[in-house]
Amino acid sequence: MPTETFEFQVEARQLLQLMIHSVYSNKDVFLRELVSNASDALDKLRLESLRDDALDADVSDLHIEIETDNDARTLTVRDNGIGMSHEEVGRLIGTIANSGTAGFLQELKEAKDADRAEGLIGQFGIGFYSGFMVADEVTLVTRRAGEKHGTRWTSRGEGTYTLDTVDDAAQGTSVTLHLKPADPENQLHDYTDEWRIREIVKRYSDFITWPIRLVPKPGGGEGEGEGEPGTEPLNSMKALWARSRDEVSDDEYHELYKHISHDWRDPLETVRLQAEGTFEYQALLFLPAHAPHDLFTQGHRRGVQLYVKRVFIMDDCEELLPPYLRFVKGVVDAADLSLNVSREILQQDRHIRMIQRRLTKKVLSSVKEMMAKDAERYATFWREFGAVVKEGLVTDAENRDALLAVSSFASTHSEDGPTTLKAYVERMQDGQEDVYYLTGDSRQSIENSPHMEAFRAKNIEVLLLTDPVDEVWADAVGEYEGKRLRSVAKGEIDLDGEGGESSDSAQSQEYAGLLGWMKDQLGEDIKEVRLSSRLTVSPACLVSDAHDLTPALENMYRAMGQEVPRTKRILELNPDHPLVKGLNQAHRERADHAGLAETAELLHTLAVLAEGGQPKEPARFVKLVADRLERTL
């Protein structure tokens, strides 16, 4: 097959330019990324060979080689792993087939510091491109295990790449970097220096479970050990999760995390667990310091790596942790599972379910410990992952108490930081029986809501919930330590127990006629009209019945494709507001006046707008307001 030339996908071309002009603060990491890719290829080959007896592949000496040539200024990273087919090379190397790529590139361009940029690149797992930081040209030669022909990919990163067929390619993948000219003033970036290669591998890839060998220069003794020249590994190959805590440094743990997650920043927390007895397993988990870009997208890859007796079995094993902990990365190594275990088998395996329960409790207890010992780190964790952790309040009744214990929420008590439910209850006023909350799109919109007026006037604390999941979990949980969770926008609010005064019967009688008339006028849009004890400034607000769905929850269900009937709301009027008083007086004097009906309609629409809703007929609302303004001139 003749050599073919292709153009990079637009996003790939943009990424290459960013790499060439180097947004990375530390160029050494290119070698870590290439070694990590090689290790993954070896893992995949061993697993495939165990599952497919007919696979024509040599697995007798799986390893990674690094070869340098000072004269030619090349560095080659070679593995004899699974390799790639011709089609896979074009699909995986020529394009970035990841959703949200355009947004990622925009974030990358706007990143204000190198660490942020590196973290974004790592999230996409495209470390292969990092070779262009140090090379003018990159050549990849690969042959998929079991196939006869290989493929050569070559590019200078200038917008195009070539593909051609190689008849004598070795099994696996070889990446050759044609290095940029040496910088005499910066010897640390001379990647043909074997000492430099040793140092980088030891620092970043010592835990890799496959031997990493340095191919000696012709005639030299570099790389010699007790055996043949070049066979002594540069790495220790010791699984970190199998070693005691005293034997492993934090830096080594962090490098394993980066290898697993493709995140280029240190994790926030390392969690170890070792179970012995009838079912043995070891787990090494990591809580990231920042949320991945696709945490809430359907295609997000979640789960930890599964090993069986040090043999890699599965990436992203979803069954080992519940969906609300999908951001957790790490390794679980079980002693008693089959090497041929499949995802379908895992879903039914009682050992896996037991591991999931133990890991979930361990992660939550680690977060609770972080919460008690390091407020700053906990604040980072909750800011990044609180919205997804709260999903567990809906789906995981078994761990609901533990989840509530590590959850925190914005509150009217303080603008400095969130509060726990425990702290809220401790601050409750004498006689206060309920924990109050209000949901909305933002803190500002909630604080400006008419529903908050009486609570603000009486200095009653309200939780300010701004995540979409808050609409669901608050109803699902219902109470905390015997205190009912109550939305200030649902049901009737009687603040007598919190120092408030309810509307007296005389006032109710005074407004009875207006309330009945407005119910008739607005009957298509509302369920009831009543006087409010929650308003002190605004003339009116809309509330939901205690057991009705809120508009936000209705919209959420519709967005998920579920049909739900539209619920009528309750219109509450502030009897002390001049507009309501005037409307009541006008109604008693001339109930059939056409302007009164318009005023009632405007009052209802103002209540809709006050909670962030949209008028049912925007054009009509604008006309009514314009006519009223005109008559005031």
Side-chain angles (χ1 to χ4, degrees):
M1 182 181 295
T3 300
E4 299 175 283
T5 300
F6 300 89
E7 287 193 0
F8 281 105
Q9 178 194 32
V10 174
E11 290 87 350
R13 191 158 58 245
Q14 293 174 348
L15 180 61
L16 279 168
Q17 290 304 306
L18 288 168
M19 290 292 185
I20 291 168
H21 299 293
S22 190
V23 295
Y24 292 78
S25 58
N26 179 10
K27 290 181 169 57
D28 293 351
V29 294
F30 85 88
L31 186 56
R32 175 178 72 188
E33 291 301 301
L34 294 181
V35 168
S36 180
N37 290 346
S39 174
D40 290 344
L42 294 170
D43 284 336
K44 290 174 182 176
L45 178 60
R46 177 163 67 172
L47 181 60
E48 193 162 327
S49 67
L50 291 170
R51 292 177 172 174
D52 183 2
D53 294 334
L55 181 67
D56 181 17
D58 180 8
V59 295
S60 60
D61 180 26
L62 299 180
H63 63 277
I64 301 167
E65 289 182 349
I66 301 176
E67 182 178 353
T68 62
D69 187 328
N70 188 49
D71 295 333
R73 286 202 57 73
T74 61
L75 182 147
T76 300
V77 178
R78 184 183 300 113
D79 68 74
N80 56 347
I82 192 68
M84 289 181 283
S85 67
H86 188 88
E87 184 272 334
E88 286 173 325
V89 172
R91 176 167 51 85
L92 299 175
I93 307 296
T95 64
I96 305 175
N98 217 314
S99 61
T101 302
F104 152 69
L105 285 166
Q106 185 62 34
E107 282 189 75
L108 184 58
K109 292 173 184 175
E110 295 174 357
K112 298 187 186 325
D113 58 79
D115 286 343
R116 173 67 176 147
E118 290 175 6
L120 286 167
I121 290 171
Q123 287 179 29
F124 269 68
I126 45 180
F128 170 78
Y129 289 96
S130 64
F132 284 96
M133 290 190 303
V134 299
D136 291 325
E137 181 176 292
V138 176
T139 299
L140 176 145
V141 178
T142 184
R143 176 172 67 82
R144 185 169 181 83
E147 295 190 356
K148 294 182 178 180
H149 302 290
T151 302
R152 180 185 291 109
W153 179 99
T154 304
S155 178
R156 297 185 62 84
E158 296 174 347
T160 63
Y161 62 92
T162 63
L163 286 179
D164 58 300
T165 300
V166 180
D167 292 330
D168 57 352
Q171 170 189 301
T173 300
S174 171
V175 179
T176 299
L177 306 180
H178 302 267
L179 299 169
K180 295 178 180 179
D183 183 356
E185 298 181 1
N186 192 352
Q187 293 301 315
L188 288 179
H189 285 165
D190 184 2
Y191 298 110
T192 62
D193 188 312
E194 294 184 356
W195 172 86
R196 184 74 179 130
I197 299 301
R198 290 176 180 277
E199 191 270 335
I200 295 173
V201 170
K202 190 68 178 176
R203 174 154 42 102
Y204 289 127
S205 307
D206 191 55
F207 58 86
I208 297 291
T209 53
W210 304 104
I212 304 172
R213 301 167 184 164
L214 184 61
V215 177
K217 292 179 180 178
E222 284 286 353
E224 293 183 11
E226 295 180 2
E228 293 299 317
T231 60
E232 185 70 12
L234 303 180
N235 57 322
S236 66
M237 297 184 294
K238 293 181 179 178
L240 297 190
W241 57 91
R243 295 157 64 181
S244 69
R245 180 65 181 88
D246 296 338
E247 294 180 307
V248 186
S249 68
D250 287 340
D251 286 344
E252 289 177 300
Y253 281 136
H254 294 173
E255 289 308 323
L256 175 62
Y257 164 75
K258 293 170 185 176
H259 169 71
I260 291 170
S261 67
H262 295 286
D263 181 359
W264 289 24
R265 280 175 278 191
D266 292 341
L268 195 64
E269 183 75 9
T270 302
V271 180
R272 289 181 57 100
L273 181 63
Q274 181 163 338
E276 298 178 346
T278 55
F279 185 69
E280 297 184 0
Y281 62 92
Q282 297 164 315
L284 184 58
L285 305 179
F286 301 96
L287 306 184
H290 61 98
H293 70 284
D294 58 349
L295 182 61
F296 291 99
T297 61
Q298 189 171 7
H300 173 71
R301 295 177 63 189
R302 65 180 179 89
V304 299
Q305 292 185 351
L306 176 63
Y307 284 72
V308 174
K309 296 178 182 176
R310 311 292 186 271
V311 176
F312 173 81
I313 298 297
M314 191 179 299
D315 241 340
D316 308 311
C317 183
E318 299 179 358
E319 289 74 22
L320 290 170
L321 283 170
Y324 66 86
L325 294 180
R326 57 185 174 270
F327 54 87
V328 176
K329 301 299 180 183
V331 171
V332 171
D333 191 347
D336 301 307
L337 289 176
S338 167
L339 292 176
N340 288 316
V341 67
S342 65
R343 293 188 186 274
E344 291 72 26
I345 293 174
L346 288 176
Q347 292 171 0
Q348 308 298 326
D349 192 282
R350 65 183 182 86
H351 289 144
I352 292 296
R353 292 198 298 271
M354 181 179 70
I355 293 176
Q356 186 193 90
R357 285 196 294 270
R358 287 285 306 276
L359 294 184
T360 301
K361 293 182 184 300
K362 181 66 175 178
V363 169
L364 295 180
S365 67
S366 297
V367 174
K368 187 175 182 180
E369 185 177 348
M370 182 197 306
M371 193 179 194
K373 293 183 177 180
D374 194 327
E376 185 176 347
R377 277 199 307 143
Y378 167 76
T380 298
F381 170 82
W382 193 252
R383 182 180 66 249
E384 298 291 327
F385 302 108
V388 66
V389 170
K390 285 186 288 187
E391 294 174 9
L393 294 171
V394 182
T395 60
D396 189 356
E398 179 182 348
N399 289 299
R400 184 170 289 167
D401 289 343
L403 284 161
L404 286 172
V406 301
S407 298
S408 56
F409 315 94
S411 160
T412 56
H413 174 72
S414 171
E415 294 185 1
D416 296 334
T419 183
T420 62
L421 287 176
K422 184 173 185 287
Y424 178 104
V425 170
E426 291 172 351
R427 289 191 298 266
M428 285 172 61
Q429 296 185 9
D430 292 340
Q432 182 180 343
E433 295 297 329
D434 301 323
V435 174
Y436 292 106
Y437 70 88
L438 184 59
T439 60
D441 293 333
S442 67
R443 179 178 183 128
Q444 182 179 13
S445 67
I446 296 175
E447 289 182 325
N448 292 330
S449 169
H451 302 100
M452 296 286 292
E453 293 174 0
F455 293 88
R456 186 182 300 109
K458 299 179 185 302
N459 199 31
I460 297 174
E461 184 175 358
V462 178
L463 301 178
L464 312 175
L465 308 181
T466 57
D467 292 318
V469 69
D470 293 328
E471 290 280 354
V472 184
W473 77 257
D475 275 341
V477 172
E479 66 172 42
Y480 174 75
E481 293 187 353
K483 306 292 185 182
R484 184 170 50 152
L485 300 179
R486 289 200 62 191
S487 168
V488 304
K490 292 185 72 172
E492 292 195 64
I493 297 292
D494 181 5
L495 297 182
D496 285 351
E498 286 78 36
E501 298 179 358
S502 61
S503 301
D504 57 33
S505 57
Q507 195 175 53
S508 299
Q509 291 177 2
E510 179 185 355
Y511 281 89
L514 176 66
L515 300 180
W517 174 79
M518 288 189 68
K519 171 66 173 67
D520 292 338
Q521 291 292 318
L522 304 171
E524 291 185 4
D525 300 312
I526 60 170
K527 177 187 293 186
E528 179 186 350
V529 184
R530 67 190 182 202
L531 297 183
S532 177
S533 61
R534 72 187 92 212
L535 295 174
T536 62
V537 178
S538 301
C541 70
L542 286 168
V543 300
S544 299
D545 236 344
H547 302 292
D548 284 348
L549 294 179
T550 63
L553 201 53
E554 285 184 17
N555 292 336
M556 188 184 304
Y557 284 129
R558 290 191 184 99
M560 294 187 295
Q562 299 184 32
E563 286 298 325
V564 292
R566 195 168 295 279
T567 306
K568 289 185 178 182
R569 311 284 299 290
I570 298 168
L571 179 65
E572 289 193 350
L573 303 182
N574 179 0
D576 298 321
H577 194 280
L579 175 58
V580 177
K581 286 182 176 180
L583 182 60
N584 187 45
Q585 180 67 27
H587 172 263
R588 286 205 301 266
E589 295 175 355
R590 42 185 182 152
D592 59 345
H593 192 280
L596 290 182
E598 290 183 355
T599 302
E601 183 180 345
L602 285 171
L603 196 60
H604 171 258
T605 308
L606 289 174
V608 172
L609 292 171
E611 66 175 9
Q614 296 293 325
K616 183 170 68 172
E617 297 182 59
R620 174 172 171 76
F621 172 69
V622 170
K623 183 179 184 304
L624 289 176
V625 172
D627 290 346
R628 288 300 176 97
L629 291 174
E630 181 182 350
R631 290 200 290 269
T632 64
L633 296 176

